[in-house]
Amino acid sequence: MTPVLTVIGSGTLVPSGERSSACHLLEAGDHNLLLDLGPGAVHGMARHGKPWWQVTHVVFTHYHTDHFGDLPHLLFALKWAVPSPRGRPLHVLGPPGLLARVAALRRAFGDFIVDPGFEVAYQEVDRRGSWVGDDTDAPRLRFLPVPHTDHSIAIRVATRGRSLGYTGDTGPDPALGPFFRGVDILVSECGQPDPPPSPSHLSPASVAAMARSARPGVVVLTHLYPPLDCASAPRLVREAGYEGRVVCARDGDGFALK
């Protein structure tokens, strides 16, 4: 089975009737991995016909609400709304700070955050490390610290001979290109216009510089703040000197890793 990436949420913290906040679903055989889980993601999976009750892994790049906010909703739905009782564990991974936030969510929402009726395995990962599950067919993850918050990471996923890169939110960093080199799909935020008003997000020029080094099969732009939009952002990346394939993500878009 060819792994498939579905954009569940291509939006930002700005409320939108068309775009949920950041969430990307990678389906690879028996493994369904979410990269970030922003508000609206669980309803978004249902809206786009994705089996939200079969999610096996959630991996957070950082803990801003627009990337993290739907975790309680997912756990509540998995406890009370699944079509049949869940037997397999849910792996929830994130950079340092995850366990403290889980403890706070438990105080706020209740014990289902840690005991929803099946095993939830929370694990903080090394920002320069990697993660491999007990299942030999599980996706393999590598992490890179990125300049957005003091705990933010980018993620590289290898599965079934294919690879996916996800920047999360990040400012420009020369380490990004080598980290993502040769991935089949590079999902990149592009939050700011040029010249960028702050160093905490990428712009078309910094996306182009990263992509020239990474040489991915396709760049998928997401997390666009105005004035950037899907009509302008891919063109601006190409005008900034990147000659490869660039597309703009919309909620529900699917991309096969091939």
Side-chain angles (χ1 to χ4, degrees), residues 109-201:
F109 292 106
D111 287 344
F112 76 88
I113 296 293
V114 296
D115 184 17
F118 55 88
E119 180 185 357
V120 183
Y122 291 103
Q123 183 176 346
E124 294 185 354
V125 300
D126 184 336
R127 295 175 71 210
R128 294 189 182 276
S130 60
W131 183 88
V132 179
D134 295 333
D135 180 349
T136 57
D137 194 41
R140 300 181 304 281
L141 311 177
R142 290 174 50 203
F143 311 109
L144 178 75
V146 295
H148 183 67
T149 69
D150 60 4
H151 55 261
S152 296
I153 55 174
I155 303 169
R156 181 173 179 136
V157 185
T159 181
R160 297 179 169 242
R162 301 296 179 184
S163 56
L164 166 71
Y166 176 48
T167 65
D169 284 357
T170 179
D173 188 330
L176 288 166
F179 180 71
F180 291 129
R181 187 156 296 153
V183 295
D184 296 291
I185 297 174
L186 174 51
V187 180
S188 176
E189 67 109 328
C190 189
Q192 299 184 142
D194 287 305
S198 81
S200 61
H201 283 284

Side-chain angles (χ1 to χ4, degrees), residues 203-230:
S203 67
S206 52
V207 171
M210 173 182 65
R212 286 195 301 269
S213 175
R215 301 191 294 274
V218 59
V219 175
V220 178
L221 301 177
T222 189
H223 209 60
L224 310 178
Y225 282 96
L228 296 173
D229 55 26
C230 276

